[in-house]
Amino acid sequence: MATLAPYEKRHKVTVLGSGNWGSTIAKLVAENTAEHPDLFDRDVQMWVFEEDVTYDGSTHKLTDIINTHHENVKYLPDIKLPNNVIANPSVQNAVKDSTVLIFNLPHQFINNLCNQLKGHILPYARGVSCIKGVNVTASDISLFSESIGARLGIYCGALSGANIATEVAKGLFSETTVAYDPPPMDSSRTSTPKGTSPYASHTDLTSLTALTEKKTSSGDKIKLRALPTDYPPLDHTTLHTLFHRPYFHVHVVSDVTAVSLSGALKNVVALAAGFVSGLGWGDNAKAAIMRVGLLEMVKFGHAFFPESGIRTQTFTEESAGVADLITSCSSGRNFRCAKMAAEEKKKLADEGSAKKPRSVDEIAEEVLNGQVLQGLGTAREVNTFLKSRGREAEFPLMTAVYKIIQGEIAMEDIPEMIQMH
């Protein structure tokens, strides 16, 4: 990509998280930073939670293995990482002087991470959250992109799509959605081409009062520092260049809310799809679950984020929406673990065994190699929120999934629970 004018500085990129998806994102981003020295520093820092791993029969630090052998042997084995992915066990050192922070770790760790980052990041840094979840309390719900932004005083977009990490890492074709609504003070430097995202922010970019603030979907305001003009602009075009690969197609939009919610709520739907598949009910049942699930995802977004500019089309047209839902309900980890739980329950029942089948939590702990099954946490958190608002009945599928994983109803009760949809 050629820039219209030379810039004195280049964007330094840090990936925060080194699981299978974090390592995959670091891989493709590093491929792009090496190809675009006019926009980015070549090296990509990847923060790694340090741990000991066995390699060639002896114990080593994971960061040493990654930096020496260019492979994350624990979380992304047999995939060669570019030599400009630099594993760093110090989170403060990893983010030093970085203008682009890519957050890619389980959502339950994000608050602690942000506490560690305070005072160590550039005040004009920008973020992209790959975290599929929502930040929920009994009385409130927010997007992780917004939670990150509020805690760190930066703007943060989101990335989500039909992306199974190992397939992307192998260079198999897929696509994703990046949601980024450039802050007014950044957009006013060079506006995003209209053809890239026809549903950009409704903010009046000519208003001087907007140049120091960015509104969240809940109406809160975050005071932001403008990106200095000696850096290339961080707009839709630059972000497309950062993430797009011949095997990983990127569409950049401005609907951060729908992209973030889709990435969170589809995991709950995938659990339900796994239950009906494991019970042997066939593809018709799974299709019904996906249809009802998509309706509830859209309804949830419009019900609880009405002022965000959320668009139904993002759910139904983007990779982050319906495509990710299809993938997650076919082969994602939430689907697989729920299916295993249902298959085990059915097998024991068919055998007349009195043995208690394992729960989805127990199966996930055994088969995921330390990784988190995010659908379980999201289902519980979303239910806490819906219950506090007295709105469980409006979301029967999400409520059914919660009650199943809590042992309150049986998997076989799903059709009765959702029959009004």
Side-chain angles (χ1 to χ4, degrees):
M1 170 184 166
T3 55
L4 296 178
Y7 293 93
E8 294 179 15
K9 295 184 178 180
R10 307 291 179 263
H11 291 294
K12 179 182 176 182
V13 181
T14 295
V15 177
L16 293 155
S18 58
N20 62 349
W21 188 222
S23 298
T24 298
I25 288 291
K27 173 184 180 290
L28 64 90
V29 164
E31 291 169 354
N32 283 328
T33 60
E35 291 180 9
H36 297 277
D38 54 328
L39 296 175
F40 308 107
D41 284 354
R42 183 179 184 277
D43 287 349
V44 172
Q45 293 283 318
M46 181 173 71
W47 173 61
V48 176
F49 183 79
E50 190 70 282
E51 54 188 309
D52 292 329
V53 295
T54 301
Y55 185 82
D56 280 348
S58 57
T59 301
H60 302 268
K61 296 296 183 184
L62 181 57
T63 53
D64 291 338
I65 295 298
I66 294 173
N67 290 331
T68 302
H69 300 282
H70 308 294
E71 180 186 351
N72 187 335
V73 294
K74 180 166 185 179
Y75 298 112
L76 195 65
D78 303 319
I79 298 294
K80 205 71 173 176
L81 299 177
N83 60 13
N84 59 322
V85 172
I86 311 300
N88 194 329
S90 168
V91 66
Q92 289 88 0
N93 184 264
V95 300
K96 180 177 170 57
D97 297 328
S98 291
T99 50
V100 180
L101 307 175
I102 302 172
F103 296 84
N104 204 324
L105 67 165
H107 70 269
Q108 63 267 34
F109 302 128
I110 195 63
N111 290 339
N112 183 53
L113 175 69
C114 287
N115 289 336
Q116 295 180 62
L117 293 180
K118 288 179 181 178
H120 296 279
I121 65 172
L122 294 174
Y124 47 82
R126 299 292 182 249
V128 175
S129 170
C130 302
I131 301 166
K132 294 187 175 182
V134 283
N135 194 22
V136 183
T137 66
S139 60
D140 194 23
I141 187 166
S142 62
L143 314 177
F144 275 110
S145 55
E146 293 183 342
S147 299
I148 291 167
R151 285 177 171 270
L152 298 178
I154 65 173
Y155 175 72
C156 186
L159 180 152
S160 188
N163 308 139
I164 295 176
T166 52
E167 294 182 8
V168 178
K170 292 175 181 177
L172 303 178
F173 170 68
S174 63
E175 59 180 5
T176 201
T177 309
V178 172
Y180 193 87
D181 192 10
M185 72 286 284
D186 292 354
S187 298
S188 61
R189 294 176 46 196
T190 174
S191 59
T192 298
K194 292 182 180 179
T196 305
S197 179
Y199 304 97
S201 171
H202 299 294
T203 305
D204 180 3
L205 300 183
T206 64
S207 171
L208 292 178
T209 60
L211 293 181
T212 58
E213 296 177 336
K214 180 74 175 176
K215 277 190 177 182
T216 67
S217 62
S218 60
D220 297 332
K221 294 180 179 179
I222 303 173
K223 289 189 175 181
L224 301 174
R225 284 277 299 276
L227 182 72
T229 56
D230 48 1
Y231 286 96
L234 271 176
D235 56 13
H236 284 192
T237 302
T238 303
L239 287 171
H240 185 272
T241 303
L242 180 61
F243 289 104
H244 183 88
R245 297 296 297 160
Y247 59 87
F248 189 68
H249 288 191
V250 172
H251 187 214
V252 188
V253 301
S254 294
D255 190 357
V256 179
T257 302
V259 168
S260 299
L261 280 178
S262 295
L265 299 179
K266 58 92 182 180
N267 288 326
V268 180
V269 182
L271 290 172
F275 293 144
V276 300
S277 293
L279 291 173
W281 290 359
D283 291 336
N284 292 339
K286 187 167 72 170
I289 292 296
M290 292 166 65
R291 183 193 69 84
V292 173
L294 183 60
L295 288 175
E296 291 195 10
M297 288 163 59
V298 173
K299 183 177 182 179
F300 192 98
H302 285 289
F304 301 116
F305 295 87
E307 304 299 322
S308 68
I310 192 169
R311 301 179 61 250
T312 298
Q313 291 94 327
T314 305
F315 291 97
T316 58
E317 298 176 5
E318 294 295 331
S319 178
V322 64
D324 196 10
L325 180 64
I326 292 169
T327 298
S328 298
C329 291
S330 302
S331 58
R333 68 181 67 162
N334 292 279
F335 171 80
R336 295 197 311 271
C337 289
K339 183 180 180 182
M340 289 174 64
E343 288 173 337
E344 183 172 305
K345 178 185 178 182
K346 184 176 184 298
K347 181 175 183 292
L348 291 173
D350 290 345
E351 294 172 349
S353 173
K355 182 180 177 182
K356 182 180 178 181
R358 292 174 297 170
S359 67
V360 181
D361 293 85
E362 291 169 332
I363 288 173
E365 186 176 347
E366 292 178 22
V367 304
L368 291 183
N369 193 28
Q371 297 185 78
V372 176
L373 196 66
Q374 293 179 325
L376 294 172
T378 301
R380 291 175 173 126
E381 292 164 357
V382 166
N383 184 263
T384 297
F385 174 74
L386 291 175
K387 187 177 293 183
S388 73
R389 298 292 182 97
R391 302 185 70 168
E392 283 180 289
E394 297 178 43
F395 300 89
L397 181 62
M398 295 186 195
T399 300
V401 170
Y402 168 76
K403 290 185 175 182
I404 290 168
I405 63 177
Q406 294 301 109
E408 296 178 17
I409 65 172
M411 300 172 189
E412 293 84 353
D413 294 330
I414 289 178
E416 181 180 355
M417 290 285 292
I418 66 172
Q419 63 182 334
M420 296 305 293
H421 260 298

